[in-house]
Each structure stands twice: as C-alpha cells, then as structure tokens.
Amino acid sequence: MPTRARVHLVGATTRGTHLLLWAVRRPRVALCLWGLALGVGVTFPWFGANRLFLLDWVVGPNTPFVNSTLLGLNGGLTAGLGGSELTALLNLVFGPAATWLPFLAFFPLAVVSAGELVSGRFIGKLAAGTLYAVNPFVFNRIYVGHTWLLIGYALLPLAVLSAWRHRSDRLFAPVAALWLAVLTSLAPHFAWIYGCVIAVQVVITVASRTVPVWRTLVRTGYFAVLTVALSAYIWLPYLAGSLPVSVTNDLSLYQSTPDPHLGLLFNLLALYGFWRLGPGPVLPKAVVAGWVPLTIAVLALAAIGAVTALVRTTHTPREDGTEASISSPRGRLVRHAFDDLSGALLVVGFIGLVLAFGDQGPSGGLYRWAYGHVPFFAVMREAQKFLILYALGLSYFFGVGVQWLITALKGRVVPLLVGASVAVLSPLALAPTIFDGLAGQVQTSHVPSSYSAAARLMGHSSGSVLILPWHLYVSYPFTGDRVVNDVLSHYVTNTSIVGDDVQIGTTYSESTSLRSRYLVSLFETAGARKDFGLMVAPLGVRYVALYKTADWMAFDWVTHQHDLKVVSNSPSLTILENLDFHAPPWPVSVHALTVQSNSDVALIASALQKGRVLIAPETTSRNRSMTNGCQPPQDGTPSLLRATSTIVALSSRRREWIQLPIAFEAGWRARTGSVVPSGEGTIAVQLACGVTAVTYSPSHYEDIGLWVFAFAPLFVWLETKRGSLHARFQIKSR
C-alpha cells in the first residue's frame, strides 16, 4: 500500500475511533443524534409544503381539538384520545409538517428509549436502539399510518424501565399506572401490551421474594385501583354508549400472516406477519436476498445475549439495604430469571411472540376465549401488535449480544469498530427499504385546489355534507393511487357523513349504524329515483360531495336528481346542494308512523312526501299519546333553544314527536321523554310539556374521567414528595 494511502487510512481510523470515544462519553446525546439521522433518512422526501396521507393517517387543515373522539361521539369510544388531541395541536402549530413530524420524532425517541434499557457499553445501547427503531414491524406500521401506536412503541422501554426501578418501593403503583394511562391514551392496545409487562414484573417480584408478598399484593391492588380511575374516561363512556361498528367474531380477517416458504413462526421471529398484504407495500424481505441468514444471525446474537445476561454474577439489593448474592451457576441462572430486568424481558418477549400467533398458535383456544369473553380484549383482534413485546426483548438481548462480541474479541480499536458495524449494519440490512420514504413507496400529496374551494363554499353554512363514493378507504390520483382514509372530511368544517365499510375479504361492512344501513339501502334504489335530496334531508344533509375516483361512476346518478343542484364541478370533485334541506330550527313531525325496517325506503319516501312526518320504529307505538294531560294550543309549534354536539334543548307546549338530524346512538337520553331511532337512523324524541333537554350521556361521563386523568401527574408528584419528606424525617430521627 502506498504511504499516502496508508496515512489516509490511519487518519480515517483515528477519526472514527475519536468519534466512538466521544459517543461513549455522551451516550444519550449520541443516541439521540443517531436516531435523528435515521429519522431524517426515512422522512426527508416528505419535507415540504404538501401533506402526507397514509391508510389510517389523514390530517387535513380542519383537525379540530373538540372532535368526535373528545366528545365520545363514536358510540362512547374515546380510546386514543391523547393521539387525536396531539394531532390537532401539531396541525395547529406546524401545518402540513405535522403529517410527517411524528415519524421523524419517533426514531430518536425509540433509539434513546431502547438504549436506556441496556447497561454497560455504548455499543450495546446503539445496537438495541437501532434494531428497535429500524425493523420490518416499524416499516409496516409507518406504511399504514399507525402513528401514535409507533410513538407508544417508542416510549414503551422507558415505561418498562421506570416501572422496574420502582417495583420494590411505594411509587410502583402510581408510576406504573400513569405510564399505562399515557400509553393507552395514545393507542388502546397498550392496555394489554404494557399490562403484560406489569403482570410479569409483579410475578417476578413475588417469586424473587425481595419484597414481602403481602406488600407486593397491596401495591398491585393499589395499581389496579389507580388504573381503573385513570382510564375512567375510556370505560365510563363505553358503558353508556354503543360501538359504531360490530366487533367481528371472524379473527381470520386479522390473523398474523405466515411466510409462504418458512411459515408463521419464522415470519414472526423476523418481525413480519402484518395481516394486510395489499395493495402495497413491497416488503423489505422481497428486496433483501439474504434476509433469512441475516435474521438467523441477529437471532443467534440475541440468544447469546440472553444467555450472557442470565448467567452473569449479580448482587441484588433488598429493601432492608443488604445484598443477596448467589454463587452457584445454577443458582445464578434461577436468581436472574426471577430478579433481573433481563429475565423479565425474556419472559415478556416470549409472551409477546406467543400472543402474536393469536388464534393460530398453541394458545389459540385461550386467545379466542379471551377475545369473546374478556372485557376490552377485542381491541387486540389484530394479534400481530403483540410483537411489540417481542421486539422489545429482541432488541435488548441483541444489544447485550453485541457487548459480548466486543468482549470476546481481543484488542481495543478492532472490537470497537466491529461491534459498531454489527450494531448498525445488521438492523439496517434487515429493513433497508425503510429509508427514502420507504424506498419511494410513500410520497406526500398535492391536494387539488378544488378541495379547499369546496371547504370555503360549504364551510360557512349549517348542515352536513354526504361524501360519496360510500367507502371508508379510497385510492386517489394525488396519493399515487395508494388507498387512504377519506380526505375531504378533513378539509371541510361541516359535519361529514362518510362511508364506514371496511371491505376486508368477504366482509363488506361491520357498521352498526342505522343511518348507514338506511343510506346503503337508499343507494341501491336511488338510481331509479329523482328525489334523493328529499330522502337525505332528515339526516341534515345540505351538500353532497362526489369524489371522481374509484367507482365514482356508480354514484353518478346524484348529478341527475331534481332536488340536487350542482354548485361546483372540477375534474376531481363535484359539489351538489340539497334544495330540500331545512336549516334549524328543524321541521317538526306531528304524526308518528311505524316502519318495520329502515331499509323500507319506499315507505319512508311516501311518508316524507306527505309533509315530513316522523317515521318512528314500532318501539314507539306504546308512546303514541300526543297530549298526555297537556293542553295543546293551536299554535303549539316547538322551538329550538340550544343545539350543540352533545346537547339539544327544545321547548314545546304539547307532548309530541319530533325528529332531529343526529345519527342515533344508544347514549342519547331525554330526562322527560323518549329517544328512539327514526326510520332514517336519526334520533326521534318525544317531547314533554315545557323544556326537553336531549343529552349525549357518554360525553358527560367522559368529562369525569378526564378530570381524574388531568390531576394524575399532580398526584404522582405529591406521592414522590411525600416519599422524600418521609425519608428526610427518618434520617433526622436517627
């Protein structure tokens, strides 16, 4: 080798060594910078003024703080409230950048968080953090837009470490409960994912006997009580309402998928198995030719790390200040399995892998039973989410395995460089297509100006907008024909009525909405009718928006209705105004008809044409009394006193039925009258003499839970201060 080349090589090696030494001295800063570099490498194609739209991640200019999740207007479903509010805040502050900033923030957060679990060498922290942040599981979740699930995933190692450090003291219950509440507010699945972690920690603490059993059980009970209190904003509205979709009993729709050649187990071990196979994306293993031996190498290094972590000598402090040490090899192994974080993570990772099989694995029968009988377990119908626990354990033991590799190699510089290469290159080689916007598979979207124009046109008027085609997910030209959630509803300020069909396999829809059932029945016959505006007027529909994408021609009949007027037309969107729409105060029905089913479109149409009479279900037949002791004057027309998203107050001088353009949900209540579904799937109210207040009860229950949740950090802070004061008092007493 020429002298000059040798000098350059030595200089480069020296600079690399100095950089590694700098990182070793400042591990958190270095990990954060490395995570930020990874994040920039993934998201830099998305930088700019356009918005990023993904399957379940659509954020438009109209993302209000007071949304349906905050009000519980999805049948009392308030899970994921923290994510929805953070989305609104980011959108307000950063605008279009809010659609990709959470993904950028995910990587430094995940790298630092996972690195905190690994004690010892910086290279081990780097390995754990890199594998935790860059892997096929993360790749898939970015593609489908599970943004706040990923943020919870990134925070999970910190939550695990925090609970583990406090497992033997009085702060375990409040700290663990607060972490569970925070993670669950981002994604409800963490109630079970982090719940598994807490359960394992409790069992290990009891089995290790470092703390008296009775004290551990008391703290666990305390944790359970705090968890119930902090999650009251979720379960209280849930009990008072009814879900807008049915929970399928067919778990096969969301089963973890096997590799066509290597089966389900290896697919899950490699952090694949996401149920949605298409359309898109091209998975990393389809690009990396040697993904199988590379995965085996990572698993082997993690297995070495697990053995190394479990058999090393330990000195465990007890609550009384003494130390317990085990000298025999067998005793060390048992001791670590029950009294070390590595043992806990081994158990947690194994549980996560088993549960990721769902109803297909050895515990399939138990999984199916829990799905059908255990409250709230239905949120885990997609079992592959349990791989989060496995990814946590795998990353940790991979980091420990890299530390072992450095120790096994002789010398100073060479082991450091080899360890750094393995720590970084192995995870990156497993999912190289995660960079450059998922290898160019995901781009930001330039939304046509017609969407903003439609928002301005409809935004300053009352009434709802019905969005067609009737699909929950649609492919758009401006998304590169990728299928994403509805876009227009995130641009307009009007209340939107959007398709709620999932269209998975042979299942077209899981909706329980009577309004949706009415509309679907109407679509089947509306092509032969010319009065569609009249038929949807009771739903409060003032505008109908027609996307010119997907199967929009099947809904082109809306442009030929006598009572729908085209007010805006562009190559991408058509807006029609309903000439039969009536602004508040809404018309009142003075006659009640019985309809056997809200699919009976002909009967409903006939009734509407005869003066907008109320179409009430047969459950109202026993409440047909129009006066019931009242003295109805001739001019007793009811008046609307107040109308918000959750409260409608009306004044009437006689007892009668009226219909409100609000989708029926079980949570609507009237203290002095009856609330039942109308034939169109809206709410029908039997007014009393005087003022009748119709309220949405899940929203009020949620307010109680949110107040409890808001004061939780203060409670934990007071608990910390109380413990500190107690310790100071004991020192002074001595």
Side-chain angles (χ1 to χ4, degrees):
M1 179 183 294
T3 305
R4 182 175 299 178
R6 188 181 297 110
V7 170
H8 283 303
L9 179 61
V10 172
T13 304
T14 304
R15 286 193 296 272
T17 304
H18 285 314
L19 181 62
L20 283 174
L21 291 175
W22 178 88
V24 167
R25 296 190 186 99
R26 303 167 183 81
R28 291 177 182 171
V29 176
L31 288 174
C32 185
L33 292 176
W34 171 241
L36 186 61
L38 292 175
V40 171
V42 173
T43 62
F44 78 89
W46 305 334
F47 295 176
N50 293 331
R51 291 182 178 267
L52 177 68
F53 297 140
L54 302 170
L55 181 73
D56 290 321
W57 177 249
V58 174
V59 181
N62 177 38
T63 305
F65 286 96
V66 182
N67 49 45
S68 59
T69 304
L70 180 63
L71 298 173
L73 286 173
N74 294 317
L77 190 63
T78 58
L81 177 61
S84 67
E85 294 304 297
L86 284 173
T87 300
L89 178 61
L90 289 174
N91 190 57
L92 176 66
V93 176
F94 297 104
T99 59
W100 51 263
L101 272 176
F103 297 106
L104 175 62
F106 161 79
F107 287 93
L109 188 59
V111 171
V112 174
S113 181
E116 286 292 295
L117 286 176
V118 182
S119 59
R121 298 176 182 266
F122 167 76
I123 301 299
K125 296 176 180 289
L126 178 67
T130 305
L131 181 58
Y132 193 67
V134 180
N135 59 62
F137 180 89
V138 173
F139 174 93
N140 255 321
R141 299 299 165 167
I142 292 177
Y143 185 85
V144 296
H146 291 176
T147 312
W148 300 113
L149 177 76
L150 284 174
I151 297 298
Y153 169 95
L155 290 172
L156 182 62
L158 294 179
V160 171
L161 188 61
S162 180
W164 181 260
R165 286 173 175 171
H166 291 290
R167 73 191 188 283
S168 299
D169 61 43
R170 54 188 301 277
L171 286 178
F172 167 75
V175 168
L178 183 58
W179 268 115
L180 182 62
V182 169
L183 293 175
T184 306
S185 72
L186 296 174
H189 316 89
F190 285 103
W192 295 102
I193 293 171
Y194 189 58
C196 286
V197 174
I198 298 300
V200 168
Q201 291 190 1
V202 169
V203 171
I204 288 179
T205 304
V206 170
S208 64
R209 298 186 181 276
T210 54
V211 180
V213 175
W214 67 268
R215 187 171 295 174
T216 302
L217 295 179
V218 168
R219 289 171 181 168
T220 304
Y222 186 23
F223 162 78
V225 171
L226 290 177
T227 299
V228 170
L230 291 178
S231 60
Y233 76 95
I234 296 177
W235 60 265
L236 275 178
Y238 175 84
L239 294 177
S242 59
L243 291 179
V245 295
S246 62
V247 180
T248 178
N249 292 323
D250 187 6
L251 285 174
S252 64
L253 296 175
Y254 302 95
Q255 282 180 342
S256 301
T257 57
D259 182 84
H261 304 291
L262 300 172
L264 180 57
L265 175 59
F266 193 83
N267 217 32
L268 293 177
L269 287 172
L271 292 170
Y272 287 100
F274 183 49
W275 65 271
R276 188 178 180 274
L277 298 177
V282 177
L283 297 176
K285 66 180 181 179
V287 177
V288 181
W291 75 277
V292 174
L294 184 60
T295 300
I296 293 174
V298 170
L299 292 174
L301 202 55
I304 293 173
V307 174
T308 303
L310 291 174
V311 299
R312 66 192 174 194
T313 305
T314 184
H315 296 277
T316 305
R318 294 195 181 97
E319 282 199 334
D320 58 5
T322 62
E323 287 189 348
S325 61
I326 303 297
S327 57
S328 68
R330 182 179 179 183
R332 283 200 302 271
L333 183 61
V334 173
R335 183 67 179 187
H336 272 286
F338 284 102
D339 199 32
D340 188 76
L341 180 60
S342 53
L345 291 176
L346 182 65
V347 176
V348 163
F350 177 76
I351 290 175
L353 182 63
V354 171
L355 290 177
F357 279 84
D359 64 336
Q360 304 175 82
S363 61
L366 180 61
Y367 199 95
R368 283 189 296 272
W369 177 87
Y371 186 80
H373 297 87
V374 176
F376 300 108
F377 191 75
V379 300
M380 300 306 299
R381 63 182 180 179
E382 185 199 331
Q384 201 245 4
K385 285 190 174 79
F386 276 115
L387 273 189
I388 291 175
L389 296 174
Y390 167 71
L392 180 69
L394 178 66
S395 302
Y396 171 80
F397 289 115
F398 178 71
V400 178
V402 170
Q403 288 185 344
W404 169 85
L405 181 63
I406 295 174
T407 305
L409 296 174
K410 304 296 183 181
R412 296 184 58 186
V413 177
V414 173
L416 208 59
L417 293 176
V418 171
S421 300
V422 172
V424 172
L425 296 181
S426 297
L428 300 190
L430 282 174
T433 56
I434 198 173
F435 299 102
D436 188 26
L438 276 58
Q441 297 183 72
V442 175
Q443 299 291 339
T444 55
S445 300
H446 178 69
V447 180
S449 58
S450 57
Y451 283 61
S452 299
R456 291 191 296 270
L457 173 67
M458 299 183 290
H460 300 290
S461 59
S462 58
S464 303
V465 52
L466 173 64
I467 299 177
L468 301 175
W470 185 255
H471 301 303
L472 181 59
Y473 298 102
V474 184
S475 62
Y476 300 89
F478 55 80
T479 62
D481 291 327
R482 282 186 298 105
V483 176
V484 302
N485 214 314
D486 168 73
V487 174
L488 183 61
S489 62
H490 296 271
Y491 272 74
V492 301
T493 57
N494 309 66
T495 302
S496 301
I497 303 176
V498 186
D500 50 8
D501 51 295
V502 292
Q503 294 179 279
I504 299 174
T506 58
T507 302
Y508 179 80
S509 177
E510 294 179 337
S511 174
T512 60
S513 170
L514 296 176
R515 183 180 67 179
S516 296
R517 188 186 305 172
Y518 168 71
L519 283 170
V520 170
S521 300
L522 188 57
F523 297 150
E524 294 173 353
T525 60
R529 308 183 60 88
K530 300 299 180 182
D531 57 353
F532 183 75
L534 173 70
M535 301 297 289
V536 296
L539 308 182
V541 174
R542 181 165 189 170
Y543 294 98
V544 177
L546 178 64
Y547 289 128
K548 293 184 179 179
T549 185
D551 59 342
W552 71 276
M553 287 299 295
F555 293 85
D556 188 52
W557 46 261
V558 297
T559 61
H560 306 295
Q561 302 295 306
H562 295 325
D563 47 10
L564 294 181
K565 175 185 177 183
V566 176
V567 293
S568 176
N569 192 18
S570 71
S572 58
L573 189 65
T574 297
I575 304 295
L576 304 100
E577 185 174 6
N578 186 3
L579 302 180
D580 281 319
F581 170 77
H582 291 269
W586 300 292
V588 176
S589 301
V590 295
H591 179 65
L593 255 177
T594 299
V595 59
Q596 296 297 327
S597 169
N598 64 346
S599 299
D600 193 348
V601 174
L603 178 59
I604 294 175
S606 174
L608 290 173
Q609 291 169 351
K610 295 177 182 178
R612 285 186 194 282
V613 298
L614 173 67
I615 308 299
E618 61 179 342
T619 53
T620 64
S621 59
R622 62 180 180 273
N623 297 317
R624 293 284 184 83
S625 173
M626 305 302 292
T627 58
N628 197 21
C630 300
Q631 299 297 325
Q634 296 296 322
D635 59 345
T637 303
S639 58
L640 180 66
L641 301 179
R642 181 186 180 191
T644 67
S645 299
T646 58
I647 299 175
V648 178
L650 305 113
S651 176
S652 177
R653 302 180 67 179
R654 60 181 177 180
R655 193 169 182 83
E656 59 185 322
W657 285 97
I658 69 165
Q659 183 180 9
L660 302 179
I662 300 171
F664 177 81
E665 293 181 16
W668 286 98
R669 302 280 188 272
R671 184 174 299 178
T672 57
S674 301
V675 179
V676 297
S678 71
E680 296 90 348
T682 59
I683 61 175
V685 184
Q686 188 180 37
L687 300 181
C689 297
V691 177
T692 300
V694 185
T695 60
Y696 188 64
S697 55
S699 179
H700 302 293
Y701 289 128
E702 183 185 11
D703 291 341
I704 299 172
L706 287 177
W707 278 109
V708 176
F709 184 85
F711 283 100
L714 176 62
F715 173 75
V716 174
W717 180 78
L718 290 175
E719 284 283 273
T720 305
K721 286 296 182 182
R722 189 163 69 92
S724 176
L725 292 174
H726 180 69
R728 291 181 184 179
F729 178 76
Q730 285 186 329
I731 293 174
K732 288 182 179 180
S733 299
R734 292 176 184 175

